[in-house]
Amino acid sequence: MKRSLALIATAALVAGCGGGGGPTASEPGTNGSPAKVTLEMWHLSTSDPMKTIMANWAKEFEARHPHVTIKATVLENEAYKSKLTTLTQSGKAPDIFATWGGGVLKQQIDAELVKDLSADVAPVLGTFTKASLSAYQFDGKTYGLPYDIGMVGFWYNKKLFEQAGITQPPATWTAFLDAVGKLKAAGTTPIALAGKEKWPGHYYWTYLAMRIAGLPALQQAAVDKNFDTPDFVTAGRQLKALVDLQPFQKGFLGAGYSTPDGQAASVANGKAAMELMGQWAPSVQNDAGKGLGEDLAFFPFPAVDGGKGTVTEALGGGGGLAVGADAPAEAVEFLKYVTQMDVHSKSTAAGGTLPVLQGEESAVKDPNLKAVSESLSGATGFQLYLDQAYPPAVGAEINDSVAQLIAGTKTPEQVVRSITEVAQSE
């Protein structure tokens, strides 16, 4: 079976890269016992509670299947993307691997690296919410199962907002820019940003594009391969208006996300008033810094006056698990095990995941995650992260160009032209 990812950037294969490509099996056991199987599982849950939950899922599955050993590779976000891309370019995939779905998963499917789960999971598909499954289904077939879903929004320090005279979260972009000014006047850094890692910055441009151009425009751009439109330019200009206020922490261009001096820690330690981040933000803040406790709260990305989008349209995604094309049957059984109600709801109750199963909403206990869950339940539209929704090269260009806009080395017009050029070359 031919497997290559020619559509993904032709980066050089890193020598000695570990990974899947099928089970490691011993001779069949005696007395008819199953052959021993080692499953290679790659994921990016580096912070608790999901780090521990993932480890426990593996231990529980091994206990129920004594012939199975699960070998986990756990990597931070960018390192995970890089290593997985390198492995898939060699024509291999781990037996079980974390995926955001969307355009990246589709290319892996087209390269025949991912198992079609449709028949195996057909009996359980009805237990999932429609939104949680959507990123993993193509042409009526299912290639992964979700274990988490969420959305990006602003996590903020209520105490710092109050000290700046901000009585309620801003509901419009104009009010948001005004709040940034008030925070600066109060001597507070308004926003923490991991400029070094690029992907956190793309949330701003994406949300502004959603609010100004509307979700159909983002979907149509993927078809037309054209981002050079007035609304997308305006999104960049509004982001530049924010950047011109100098809202970010000192040294943000070199800052990481989860490092001790990075974006999450800056908010967690009270050095910045807010960050635009996904539902995992509270756990990463607690892991990277002191944590804000009851001073932490959440609000959706504001509406833009005159825009075609609405504040009830969410940017987000979640965590899913896919299975390599050559993986043994036990890999599929693992996905089914961790997404059954009695197992998965424990992770939701622990604050590690949000509901992906119908009727699971009551398991959410954490007040911050309840706020995200409520926003999602009332969402009138949903957009997968652009660096996952679009083909990898397009997503990477969005991240790179937006990072350059934020750094002041690219104009809003240059951003959309660069993204369009890459899209049309795919």
Side-chain angles (χ1 to χ4, degrees):
M1 183 180 291
K2 183 180 178 182
R3 294 195 178 97
S4 65
L5 280 186
L7 292 176
I8 295 180
T10 56
L13 176 63
V14 175
C17 178
T24 301
S26 68
E27 293 298 317
T30 58
N31 301 320
S33 61
K36 293 185 180 299
V37 172
T38 297
L39 298 177
E40 296 278 355
M41 179 171 73
W42 288 24
H43 68 83
L44 64 164
S45 296
T46 58
S47 299
D48 278 328
M50 274 313 297
K51 180 179 179 180
T52 297
I53 288 168
M54 281 284 193
N56 288 341
W57 281 348
K59 290 176 184 176
E60 291 167 8
F61 188 79
E62 289 172 339
R64 287 162 174 77
H65 303 80
H67 68 293
V68 176
T69 299
I70 297 178
K71 181 181 177 183
T73 296
V74 187
L75 298 165
E76 173 276 329
N77 192 8
E78 291 305 300
Y80 180 83
K81 291 179 185 177
S82 176
K83 191 170 183 179
L84 185 62
T85 297
T86 298
L87 181 64
T88 52
Q89 284 172 343
S90 73
K92 301 176 183 178
D95 297 314
I96 302 166
F97 62 98
T99 175
W100 293 276
V104 176
L105 180 61
K106 182 62 165 62
Q107 287 198 340
Q108 294 164 346
I109 293 166
D110 291 344
E112 301 180 347
L113 292 169
V114 183
K115 188 183 292 289
D116 178 359
L117 306 178
S118 303
D120 292 320
V121 302
V124 301
L125 283 184
T127 65
F128 292 88
T129 63
K130 185 176 180 180
S132 69
L133 272 175
S134 61
Y136 314 100
Q137 294 182 316
F138 302 89
D139 301 323
K141 296 181 179 180
T142 301
Y143 294 91
L145 291 181
Y147 64 84
D148 191 19
I149 188 172
M151 65 177 285
V152 173
F154 279 105
W155 297 93
Y156 73 104
N157 187 323
K158 291 188 288 185
K159 183 180 293 184
L160 292 179
F161 267 48
E162 291 169 4
Q163 291 174 356
I166 304 168
T167 57
Q168 58 185 8
T172 67
W173 184 246
T174 299
F176 179 81
L177 296 179
D178 182 62
V180 167
K182 289 180 178 178
L183 288 163
K184 285 180 69 72
T188 297
T189 297
I191 305 170
L193 180 65
K196 181 180 179 180
E197 299 194 25
K198 299 181 181 178
W199 59 270
H202 110 279
Y203 293 156
Y204 289 88
W205 188 86
T206 303
Y207 253 130
L208 286 166
M210 288 171 59
R211 297 293 187 255
I212 294 167
L215 282 180
L218 285 168
Q219 296 159 357
Q220 192 61 42
V223 177
D224 298 341
K225 298 185 176 182
N226 179 31
F227 294 81
D228 194 355
T229 67
D231 282 343
F232 288 140
V233 172
T234 300
R237 289 175 178 165
Q238 288 299 326
L239 177 51
K240 186 177 184 302
L242 172 63
V243 173
D244 287 346
L245 295 177
Q246 298 182 341
F248 307 121
Q249 81 276 23
K250 184 178 180 181
F252 76 92
L253 288 174
Y257 169 53
S258 58
T259 54
D261 59 349
Q263 175 174 325
S266 294
V267 177
N269 295 332
K271 295 182 178 180
M274 56 182 154
E275 65 169 329
L276 182 60
M277 190 49 61
Q279 71 279 3
W280 57 85
S283 64
V284 179
Q285 288 176 12
N286 290 336
D287 194 52
K290 297 176 182 177
L292 296 179
E294 294 183 358
D295 284 332
L296 182 67
F298 174 88
F299 66 91
F301 195 94
V304 176
D305 292 335
K308 300 180 180 71
T310 71
V311 74
T312 55
E313 291 171 339
L315 169 68
L321 293 172
V323 174
D326 293 331
E330 287 85 350
V332 180
E333 291 307 308
F334 178 81
L335 267 63
K336 292 163 69 175
Y337 170 73
V338 302
T339 55
Q340 61 189 39
M341 180 68 79
D342 60 336
V343 175
H344 188 268
S345 61
K346 293 177 183 176
S347 69
T348 302
T353 62
L354 284 172
V356 298
L357 302 171
Q358 296 185 33
E360 196 180 19
E361 293 78 12
S362 61
V364 182
K365 307 299 181 185
D366 181 271
N368 289 313
L369 294 181
K370 270 189 176 294
V372 177
S373 184
E374 288 168 2
S375 290
L376 274 172
S377 67
T380 57
F382 192 80
Q383 172 63 53
L384 183 64
Y385 317 117
L386 295 192
D387 58 354
Q388 297 300 319
Y390 298 147
V394 178
E397 184 58 39
I398 290 172
N399 285 350
D400 289 345
S401 286
V402 172
Q404 290 173 296
L405 173 62
I406 292 171
T409 58
K410 228 172 196 177
T411 66
E413 292 79 8
Q414 289 171 329
V415 167
V416 296
R417 285 198 292 269
S418 292
I419 298 170
T420 298
E421 287 172 7
V422 172
Q424 293 179 350
S425 70
E426 284 290 287

